[in-house]
Amino acid sequence: MKIIGIADTTFARVDMGAAAIDELKKTGTGFKIIRRTVPGFKDLPVACKKLIEEENCDICMALAMPGPMEKDKMCAHEASTGLIQCQLMTNTHIIEVFVHEDEAKDARELEFLANSRAREHALNVYDLLFRPESLTRRAGTGLREGFADAGPARQRK
């Protein structure tokens, strides 16, 4: 049985972890989910590392919602760098699911975006574990998580 780690934050304004878990549960069986919630997004790298090393997770999702201020963007970049380092240290995928507050025009759109992005990336996590060939089939198709897909630069023949 595969183990999926979900790391999220209390700093986020939307419960993205719950959305990801709900979407994963719709995919079927064959995995267990372990969720850890931390205060802020800079805490996510160690939360994921602990999920991988102590809980034997096969893959993790790191969900967060950086605020709109320049300091928030800098801290999000630092957290992202930490998540990349953790992936390299553990040889394990960590799917970063960040929704920046200034991506949305209002609270309603922010909630829609956070839920959509969390759910769509949850499906990516499932595919990485159980159907990696499905990702290969979608290579170069301009998929976007949360908002509308961009589509390929050139139509396939």
Side-chain angles (χ1 to χ4, degrees):
M1 176 173 293
K2 300 285 187 180
I3 304 173
I4 300 172
I6 303 290
D8 63 348
T9 73
T10 61
F11 189 83
R13 297 178 58 202
V14 176
D15 190 350
M16 297 165 62
I21 291 168
D22 180 62
E23 196 65 32
L24 283 166
K25 287 181 177 178
K26 292 178 185 179
T27 63
T29 60
F31 60 87
K32 173 181 156 182
I33 298 169
I34 299 175
R35 181 179 184 179
R36 296 291 181 264
T37 304
V38 295
F41 44 86
K42 288 190 293 184
D43 302 306
L44 289 171
V46 73
C48 289
K49 190 169 184 288
K50 288 172 72 73
L51 282 165
I52 293 163
E53 294 181 349
E54 297 174 11
E55 302 287 349
N56 299 310
C57 289
D58 296 287
I59 193 167
C60 285
M61 292 181 75
L63 302 114
M65 186 175 287
M69 307 302 290
E70 191 57 37
K71 180 176 184 121
D72 298 321
K73 294 175 189 316
M74 181 179 65
C75 290
H77 179 267
E78 291 170 355
S80 182
T81 301
L83 290 168
I84 292 166
Q85 184 177 5
C86 183
Q87 289 183 83
L88 295 171
M89 290 170 63
T90 62
N91 203 31
T92 303
H93 285 286
I94 300 171
I95 305 305
E96 180 183 307
V97 187
F98 284 10
V99 174
H100 294 258
E101 282 191 46
D102 57 4
E103 287 185 77
K105 65 180 178 275
D106 56 35
R108 185 172 168 212
E109 187 177 64
L110 183 65
E111 183 175 18
F112 169 81
L113 177 59
N115 278 302
S116 298
R117 189 166 291 163
R119 289 176 182 280
E120 290 176 32
H121 273 302
L123 295 176
N124 288 335
V125 164
Y126 184 84
D127 287 346
L128 275 167
L129 280 180
F130 298 105
R131 304 181 298 215
E133 69 286 348
S134 70
L135 292 168
T136 303
R137 286 194 299 274
R138 297 190 310 257
T141 59
L143 299 181
R144 301 293 188 265
E145 287 76 15
F147 286 128
D149 295 338
R154 183 186 325 176
Q155 293 299 316
R156 295 181 179 200
K157 294 180 183 188

